[in-house]
Amino acid sequence: MSEFEDKIVVVTGAAGTLGTAVAATFHDAGARVTGIDIVESDAPWRTTTADLIDPGTATAAFAELGDIDVLANIAGGFTMGDAVVDTSDATWDFMMNLNARTVFNAARAVVPAMKAAGRGKIINISARGGLRGAAAMGAYAASKAVVQRLTETLADELKADGINVNCILPSIIDTPQNRRDMPKARFDHWVPPADIAAVVAFLASNAARSIHGASIPVEGLS
């Protein structure tokens, strides 16, 4: 029997390519999966729509799901920006909301119950791009750096309560959108979503019980 049998696992951004892979990994392992996304999706696990950028909506969405064992914060995205001095408020807010505020709101929604239960796993998705700035990527890099700092802070605050918080730093993920955006790239050098999902599952497992606040690179050959 899988250690995830009948565990309550919530995957945000579950309608996307990576979120679907993560949800499928836990579903196949026997978990009771709920996928949360702002758009509807057809999946063999429970799905619910919610805008996790709004704190009230996020709290309400998670309140319906019971005592959550694993939170996989997969919601997020990328947009190429402008030079910092030319970056609009809209672009800055979009990246910060999509990548950082969703993690912030989801954590605030689930942590009190996890603390009461004395257990829980939270896995966030940052990015290799969050390790240092790059031209025309200021808002994206900053938002993913925030995810790392939130991960480290939550881990430090919660490890004594039996809760593990860690994050993953993918490079380029092999998604249909990335293939359309970069048609001449070496797709075989990119990271398959299933490989990232496997790392998420590891961080949610008992084998990772002593790992707190880690940022794990998953880069393939890129």
Side-chain angles (χ1 to χ4, degrees):
M1 178 183 293
S2 165
E3 68 175 282
F4 296 119
E5 192 77 30
D6 289 331
K7 295 289 188 181
I8 297 177
V9 176
V10 178
V11 180
T12 72
T17 300
L18 180 56
T20 297
V22 171
T25 295
F26 284 110
H27 175 75
D28 292 346
R32 294 159 58 189
V33 176
T34 297
I36 299 179
D37 208 298
I38 198 169
V39 298
E40 294 183 358
S41 63
D42 184 16
W45 46 82
R46 177 182 180 181
T47 62
T48 185
T49 56
D51 180 4
L52 298 181
I53 294 171
D54 178 74
T57 302
T59 299
F62 284 103
E64 299 177 354
L65 303 179
D67 292 334
I68 296 166
D69 296 293
V70 178
L71 169 62
N73 275 318
I74 313 300
F78 169 80
T79 185
M80 202 70 178
D82 300 300
V84 170
V85 296
D86 297 320
T87 296
S88 67
D89 289 344
T91 296
W92 180 266
D93 290 345
F94 177 66
M95 284 286 89
M96 284 294 173
N97 284 335
L98 184 62
N99 291 326
R101 188 170 291 277
T102 54
V103 171
F104 178 59
N105 285 340
R108 290 193 295 176
V110 305
V111 162
M114 284 186 173
K115 288 183 70 174
R119 69 179 190 280
K121 308 281 188 178
I122 299 175
I123 302 96
N124 302 321
I125 301 295
S126 180
R128 183 173 66 181
L131 293 174
R132 68 182 304 274
M137 292 176 60
Y140 173 75
S143 68
K144 287 299 190 179
V146 170
V147 174
Q148 287 179 262
R149 301 294 85 80
L150 282 174
T151 297
E152 293 159 357
T153 301
L154 284 165
D156 202 44
E157 292 171 345
L158 299 174
K159 58 188 177 183
D161 294 296
I163 302 168
N164 298 76
V165 187
N166 296 287
C167 73
I168 297 171
L169 311 179
S171 57
I172 302 173
I173 304 172
D174 188 4
T175 67
Q177 185 62 55
N178 282 338
R179 289 192 178 209
R180 287 191 293 269
D181 291 343
M182 295 173 275
K184 296 182 180 180
R186 289 286 304 271
F187 304 148
D188 59 328
H189 283 201
W190 294 352
V191 182
D195 289 3
I196 299 172
V199 180
V200 173
F202 164 72
L203 290 173
S205 73
N206 290 330
R209 63 186 177 274
S210 295
I211 302 176
H212 300 276
S215 296
I216 298 179
V218 182
E219 300 187 349
L221 301 177
S222 60

